[in-house]
Amino acid sequence: MKSLRGKMRLVGTLVVCLFLVLGVSYGFTVYSQGSVWASNPYNTRASGTTAHMGDITDRDGITLATTLSDGTRQYLENEQARRALSQTVGDQKGMSGTGVENYYSATLLDISGSLLDKLRAAFSGTERVGSSIQLTVDAQLTTYLSSIFPEGYEGAICVINYKTGEVLAMVSKPDYDPVALLAGEEAQDTAYLNRCLQGLYTPGSTFKIVTLASAIENDPNVLNQKFTCSGSWNYEGGTIVCAGNAVHGTVDLKTAFAKSCNITFGKLAYQLGMERLRNTAELFGLNENFKFDDFMIYNSSFPKSGENLSDLVWSGVGQSQVLVTPMHMAMIAGAVANGGVMVEPKLVERIQNPLGITTHTRSVTTYRQVMSSSTAQTIAQAMYQAVTSGTATRAAISGHTVCGKTGSAEVSDDKSVPTHAWFVGFLAEEEHPYCVAVVVEHGGSGGLVAAPIGQKALQKAIEVVG
């Protein structure tokens, strides 16, 4: 009998321990996975009247998304504006993984507080009112940029403040309408992709910024070197040519950069070698995880090892296996403007709880000093020359100092597919510290197609943001 009672006590103790383990496990799961549950489109509790999602506004206080008294989520009345901001704001079905409604769902639904609050919310059906989020983006600027993007093409435009990291605009094409989505209309799958953060593209000649930085940082005397461009250069294993079979003659590095001479930069990469060029690329953030406070950026990549000489020389002109996101290219251009300092991009200006108390305020975060200030100044001069007398003349703005770099990135071996049109640039002005990256997929010439878009983007940022 005593043996039986002992076994019963043991069983009882084990049952109690199991319940305790389950309780602790559930509490920890609610604490650690609350935001994941909240952002799941199948979470009916989050989408119902038990969770009153907070407002999302732009930098000027314009309401981008709000919740009505009946629990309905309401977006901007203007459809073009809704579409322009769709991948930035997000939607109630969680289709845009980069949207604030998804990425910051725990905050907007107020399930990021104490463990006790999380448990109470999990078991009760009482309505919770979430915090409100003010973004750094400008709705007017974003809508305008969406309207000037070439009809029928896909791609992206992003504008950031290179001193503070404020993301002023992100436009990704194609876009979608979150209101139509709630009504049951599905957009094409690629519309949910935020190409600014998730689009990986061959950068073409815009990558010459990195190659030039590597050359100067590793050999300051390279600026005194002259290069000869005869239209083509035969290296061991292949041939590199300049766009349009151009012949640039004898040029220095700044002129070669301004005129986007592939032969010069192929030779420059050859002089550097794969290891030194890769080290610089990785210092600029390639092959690195970009998980910032307000969003994640897909990893840009540079060849880990060069299998042959072609990998090296073509990497120097932004081809081969080099891939970048538009946001990353904007950060690279911004680092040139900012004396070699790359700042972390920020999307959230401030967060206020339901009581109106500010719980978070944006701060400037340095990502890394990617090059010396003197190197940055030299590259800025070359980018200015590209705008005044090189391939980027269509980016010039009267009365303002614009520095830029174009790119026409090859995306097929036989040139049968039109190139991606690229432009990256910035305003070299303390009162207007804005930089931009533009990519038009299969748009053709960066100088003809992307540079004018970059010009309009910077001009509008001056007018709207100030």
Side-chain angles (χ1 to χ4, degrees), residues 119-398:
L119 291 171
R120 186 184 297 115
F123 287 109
S124 71
T126 57
E127 181 180 66
R128 299 177 61 83
V129 178
S131 295
S132 293
I133 299 178
Q134 182 180 21
L135 305 181
T136 60
V137 298
D138 188 283
Q140 184 180 348
L141 175 62
T142 306
T143 305
Y144 170 77
L145 295 182
S146 178
S147 72
I148 65 171
F149 200 88
E151 186 70 28
Y153 285 88
E154 299 182 354
I157 310 172
C158 47
V159 181
I160 62 177
N161 182 315
Y162 55 76
K163 288 192 175 294
T164 65
E166 295 166 89
V167 177
L168 303 177
M170 285 195 292
V171 169
S172 179
K173 293 287 188 174
D175 51 33
Y176 69 100
D177 186 355
V179 172
L181 187 65
L182 283 176
E185 298 179 24
E186 295 290 336
Q188 64 184 89
D189 290 343
T190 57
Y192 305 122
L193 181 74
N194 186 336
R195 283 165 166 75
C196 290
L197 308 179
Q198 300 172 309
L200 287 168
Y201 298 96
T202 302
S205 292
T206 60
F207 190 76
K208 289 172 182 173
I209 294 172
V210 177
T211 306
L212 181 55
S214 185
I216 298 171
E217 295 279 85
N218 284 287
D219 180 13
N221 292 323
V222 76
L223 291 172
N224 300 319
Q225 187 175 347
K226 300 292 185 180
F227 294 83
T228 300
C229 168
S230 58
S232 66
W233 173 50
N234 296 320
Y235 59 86
E236 184 180 347
T239 302
I240 190 168
V241 298
C242 280
N245 296 314
V247 178
H248 298 110
T250 301
V251 291
D252 59 22
L253 264 185
K254 288 183 182 179
T255 301
F257 182 92
K259 295 185 179 298
S260 204
C261 179
N262 287 343
I263 291 171
T264 296
F265 277 81
K267 291 179 178 179
L268 201 59
Y270 179 78
Q271 287 182 194
L272 283 165
M274 184 60 86
E275 183 177 358
R276 291 198 291 186
L277 184 55
R278 184 191 309 111
N279 288 341
T280 301
E282 291 182 345
L283 188 62
F284 274 76
L286 283 85
N287 297 334
E288 194 160 323
N289 291 323
F290 273 153
K291 189 180 187 307
F292 298 127
D293 290 341
D294 297 342
F295 47 69
M296 292 178 62
I297 304 177
Y298 279 16
N299 296 357
S300 298
S301 60
F302 187 88
K304 287 287 189 180
S305 61
E307 295 182 1
N308 51 53
L309 195 55
S310 290
D311 289 335
L312 172 59
V313 297
W314 283 108
S315 292
V317 297
Q319 295 287 159
S320 184
Q321 302 170 53
V322 183
L323 294 172
V324 296
T325 61
M327 181 61 75
H328 191 183
M329 283 308 306
M331 293 165 61
I332 289 173
V336 176
N338 200 32
V341 177
M342 185 180 287
V343 297
E344 177 181 322
K346 297 293 181 74
L347 183 61
V348 174
E349 179 63 32
R350 65 174 53 84
I351 298 174
Q352 286 189 328
N353 67 18
L355 298 176
I357 299 172
T358 298
T359 58
H360 169 82
T361 303
R362 176 188 54 79
S363 60
V364 179
T365 304
T366 297
Y367 168 68
R368 184 181 294 155
Q369 177 93 31
V370 298
M371 58 186 151
S372 68
S373 59
S374 61
T375 296
Q377 184 178 18
T378 299
I379 297 175
Q381 291 168 355
M383 292 176 72
Y384 178 69
Q385 188 173 335
V387 173
T388 56
S389 61
T391 61
T393 54
R394 287 175 173 81
I397 301 174
S398 178

Side-chain angles (χ1 to χ4, degrees), residues 380-381 383-388 392 394-405 423-429 434 436 451 454-455 458-459 462:
Q381 291 168 355
M383 292 176 72
Y384 178 69
Q385 188 173 335
V387 173
T388 56
R394 287 175 173 81
I397 301 174
S398 178
H400 296 278
T401 305
V402 180
C403 303
K405 183 70 191 80
F423 174 78
V424 299
F426 59 87
L427 289 160
E429 300 170 353
Y434 310 138
V436 64
Q455 187 263 1
L458 293 174
Q459 178 72 66
I462 295 170

